[in-house]
Amino acid sequence: MTERKGRVIGVISEELTHPCVVKMLNEVTHQLNTRGALTLLLNVDSPENRQSVMHFMTQQPIDGVLVVSTVYRDALNAAAEALSSTLMHLCSSSDHNNPRVVTADDYTAGEEIAQLMLSQGHQRFGYMQGYERLSSPLRRMKGFAAGLEAADKTAKVLVAGSHDRELAYQAMMAYLKRTRASERIEALFCENDLLAFGTMQAIRDFGQGTHIAVVGFGDIDEARTSTWHLTSWSQHNDLLVTEALNRLLDNRYDENGLWRRGELQIRHSHLGKEVPGEMAQCGCASRH
């Protein structure tokens, strides 16, 4: 159903350079245009400008607010809650029981990634996250840990310091240098694809016959390239955005829709070694 002309939806984000956010924002603006709504996009790129951005939005004739982020940040959430407009969160890891949050089931994603790694015979596992989290970890990490725990395994946590491939490179390189070959992890689940790219490059540059299986999350376009052949979890951005806008604009809810589901895109990086010849050139993905 086409929405009435002139409706304005505020869209708040904080990582406009992150490929997953860019991909999601493209889908959001496309669907809002189709519904005849206007988009007011604001980038909360630092704690310093958060208050001014929120104050600005309170002065605008906004019909609803959509928060798009790669992680569920308490500070951003608290600031957005201060707005009087209807609020909806569209993010990749958060509370599935909150009706104002639309996010794929990344807990199941973590479990499936653990099962994939276990099926390859790996024995020592790791998880690389962007930020140090003193409170609750992301749901994908919880699912990964639960999947390993079922097989009496645990994961070593590595922290990059940000969602940045260069920092991931440095963190992995430091880990490889200080850890004996016989004690190193054999398989690593990265919180997102950018961290996976940095990690894989560090493993390649370190050399010395080092092979570590790597799986990412987000399945951005670069993951499919012959440079990485990255096995990654893909979510349905179009369905997620549709559900979020249905809730925000029409007060319509589909609690158990296909938007909750994702797919593990199987390539080669989870094998833990470079793939030679024709296999490295195919770049095809099978789906679970």
Side-chain angles (χ1 to χ4, degrees):
M1 182 177 67
T2 302
E3 302 298 325
R4 64 178 175 82
K5 298 292 183 179
R7 179 172 286 191
V8 178
I9 302 301
V11 179
I12 304 175
S13 188
E14 58 184 340
E15 293 183 307
L16 295 186
T17 59
H18 195 295
C20 286
V21 172
V22 172
K23 193 173 181 179
M24 189 69 79
L25 288 175
N26 183 64
E27 184 65 32
V28 167
T29 55
H30 170 71
Q31 290 199 28
L32 283 174
N33 288 343
T34 300
R35 291 170 179 253
L38 301 176
T39 304
L40 175 61
L41 177 61
L42 292 171
N43 181 17
V44 182
D45 58 359
S46 70
E48 292 73 26
N49 81 335
R50 184 181 298 122
Q51 185 174 356
S52 61
V53 166
M54 296 305 165
H55 177 73
F56 172 78
M57 292 198 74
T58 61
Q59 308 304 310
Q60 307 306 310
I62 295 174
D63 297 289
V65 177
L66 188 65
V67 180
V68 179
S69 61
T70 57
V71 293
Y72 195 62
R73 296 182 185 278
D74 293 339
L76 183 59
N77 177 49
E81 292 282 1
L83 296 169
S84 58
S85 302
T86 303
L87 178 70
M88 190 67 58
H89 286 273
L90 180 61
C91 54
S92 57
S93 189
S94 187
D95 181 5
H96 286 241
N97 296 319
N98 188 334
R100 292 194 298 172
V101 173
V102 175
T103 181
D105 184 5
D106 53 345
Y107 184 93
T108 296
E111 287 185 313
E112 290 198 18
I113 289 169
Q115 292 166 8
L116 175 66
M117 291 180 169
L118 288 165
S119 72
Q120 299 300 311
H122 303 304
Q123 298 298 313
R124 296 185 298 277
F125 303 88
Y127 178 90
M128 177 172 284
Q129 59 190 33
Y131 298 93
E132 185 74 53
R133 292 187 178 86
L134 301 179
S135 56
S136 178
L138 295 186
R139 288 179 56 84
R140 70 195 66 159
M141 181 179 180
K142 292 180 179 178
F144 184 60
L148 294 179
E149 185 178 356
D152 296 322
K153 304 293 184 182
T154 59
K156 178 178 179 58
V157 177
L158 303 179
V159 180
S162 178
H163 291 159
D164 181 271
R165 73 175 72 198
E166 179 59 28
L167 291 179
Y169 178 95
Q170 295 172 12
M172 175 52 69
M173 188 64 75
Y175 169 77
L176 293 172
K177 289 179 178 179
R178 69 172 182 265
T179 309
R180 295 178 181 176
S182 61
E183 299 174 351
R184 288 179 193 140
I185 57 178
E186 298 173 341
L188 180 71
F189 174 28
C190 293
E191 198 166 86
N192 59 52
D193 290 348
L194 291 184
L195 299 182
F197 299 150
T199 293
M200 292 174 69
Q201 191 61 57
I203 295 168
R204 293 173 181 178
D205 289 353
F206 186 76
Q208 301 182 29
T210 302
H211 298 296
I212 297 176
V214 177
V215 175
F217 190 99
D219 195 36
I220 63 177
D221 292 343
E222 191 178 350
R224 307 182 184 96
T225 65
S226 59
T227 301
W228 306 116
H229 288 294
L230 178 65
T231 295
S232 183
W233 182 267
S234 175
Q235 56 190 15
H236 300 293
N237 286 350
D238 56 341
L239 300 182
L240 286 165
V241 171
T242 297
E243 177 65 20
L245 294 183
N246 284 344
R247 294 185 180 193
L248 184 65
L249 300 177
D250 303 330
N251 200 32
R252 290 192 290 116
Y253 295 76
D254 182 7
E255 297 292 349
N256 299 304
L258 291 175
W259 59 270
R260 286 192 179 276
R261 304 177 189 176
E263 297 171 329
L264 188 56
Q265 302 296 324
I266 303 295
R267 299 186 180 98
H268 307 315
S269 64
H270 68 284
L271 300 175
K273 58 184 178 181
E274 298 293 332
V275 180
E278 293 183 6
M279 193 174 181
Q281 297 300 319
C282 73
C284 56
S286 63
R287 296 185 175 185
H288 284 196

